[in-house]
Amino acid sequence: MTDDTSTGLLAGKTILITGVITDASIAFHIAKHCQLHGATVILTAFGRPSLVKAIAKRLPVRPAVIELDVQSDEDLAALEGRVREHTDTLDGVVHSIGFAPPSCLGDPFLDAPWKDVSVALDVSAYSYASLARATRPLLSTDASIIGLDFDPRFSMPFYNWMSVAKNALEAVNRYVARELGPDGIRSNLIAAGPLKTLAAKAIAGDAVGPGGELDQMQHEWARRAPLGWDVEDPTPVATTAVALLSDLMKATTGTVIYADGGAGTVSFSGQEG
């Protein structure tokens, strides 16, 4: 598109985006495409704001960066005030947050202790509701909240309790949509196909590398997807986010939009259809 963002899909909107860690992060590319479509972007940073500020310089327009730890009641309570230093209204919120301790990823599934599983559920699922609650006073009519999902309908090697957390996230999304719908606020998730990000490598752990389980899954995904799938290209996921944050999908809420090349519609068991 052109450099003129005044007529973009998100022209005049302000979007709060969490989860930027590197310029390979899905959240980074969502921020980039939001800006290209005319939005003003505010990023949140967990733990190392200086790092996020450095990464933010690589976006088309340097955004404001505010601190947020979604597990901190103090940070969540302070979020409204921190946002109001830059704007009084949010038209969109992007939740791109997920974490599980090593014991929750990889075999054996049954050995993960509750203290670790509870962290995975807190950070990866409950935080979606926490973020919605913390930003609610700022949200405009017709605002859109979106989160990043990964198809949790099937058991996958190494994903384990993170998959359980994603199932929980999908349920949380439905309830957020139900509660905020009367205010005109939408809530949806994007189930992205596998992408080569720092988060993917962290989740896969020992499964990373040539011939590893992550590598095999990514190749199988590309083979199965009717539209094909490029693990190096986050653009299809980012532009799906733009569509959900725009006014084009005002009647869509409480659902999961798949941006995965169609692989989620094809059996991975060796029998198609």
Side-chain angles (χ1 to χ4, degrees), residues 159-171:
Y159 207 53
N160 291 12
W161 285 99
M162 182 60 84
S163 183
V164 175
K166 292 298 187 182
N167 270 290
L169 175 64
E170 292 190 357

Side-chain angles (χ1 to χ4, degrees), residues 85-123:
E85 293 178 8
H86 306 281
T87 182
D88 288 326
T89 304
L90 290 176
D91 303 290
V93 176
V94 177
H95 177 281
S96 183
I97 300 169
F99 172 77
S103 67
C104 295
L105 305 165
D107 297 328
F109 174 82
L110 295 177
D111 284 1
W114 169 245
K115 66 179 179 64
D116 290 348
V117 172
S118 64
V119 170
L121 293 172
D122 186 9
V123 177

Side-chain angles (χ1 to χ4, degrees), residues 60-252:
V61 179
R62 186 173 178 178
V65 177
I66 60 178
E67 293 190 52
L68 175 64
D69 176 356
V70 291
Q71 287 189 284
S72 166
D73 291 339
E74 291 78 12
D75 264 21
L76 289 165
L79 181 59
E80 180 183 351
R82 292 172 183 172
V83 171
R84 288 192 186 279
E85 293 178 8
H86 306 281
T87 182
D88 288 326
T89 304
L90 290 176
D91 303 290
V93 176
V94 177
H95 177 281
S96 183
I97 300 169
F99 172 77
S103 67
C104 295
L105 305 165
D107 297 328
F109 174 82
L110 295 177
D111 284 1
W114 169 245
K115 66 179 179 64
D116 290 348
V117 172
S118 64
V119 170
L121 293 172
D122 186 9
V123 177
S124 307
Y126 181 74
S127 67
Y128 190 80
S130 299
L131 187 61
R133 181 174 61 251
T135 57
R136 188 173 186 176
L138 297 158
L139 295 175
S140 63
T141 302
D142 297 329
S144 175
I145 304 172
I146 65 172
L148 273 294
D149 192 11
F150 185 74
D151 191 347
R153 294 175 298 168
F154 310 101
S155 62
M156 292 187 180
F158 68 77
Y159 207 53
N160 291 12
W161 285 99
M162 182 60 84
S163 183
V164 175
K166 292 298 187 182
N167 270 290
L169 175 64
E170 292 190 357
V172 171
N173 171 56
R174 291 190 290 270
Y175 280 94
V176 170
R178 179 183 181 184
E179 185 151 325
L180 299 187
D183 295 333
I185 298 167
R186 293 166 284 140
S187 174
N188 295 285
L189 303 179
I190 300 172
L195 293 166
K196 288 189 176 180
T197 64
L198 183 63
K201 292 179 181 178
I203 289 171
D206 292 338
V208 175
E213 289 172 329
L214 178 61
D215 187 56
Q216 291 176 31
M217 184 186 73
Q218 290 174 337
H219 279 89
E220 179 69 2
W221 203 284
R223 187 179 77 83
R224 290 280 179 175
L227 294 175
W229 185 254
D230 183 355
V231 298
E232 305 278 359
D233 184 13
T235 301
V237 178
T239 52
T240 299
V242 169
L244 282 171
L245 291 166
S246 77
D247 294 332
L248 295 179
M249 302 182 73
K250 285 189 174 182
T252 302

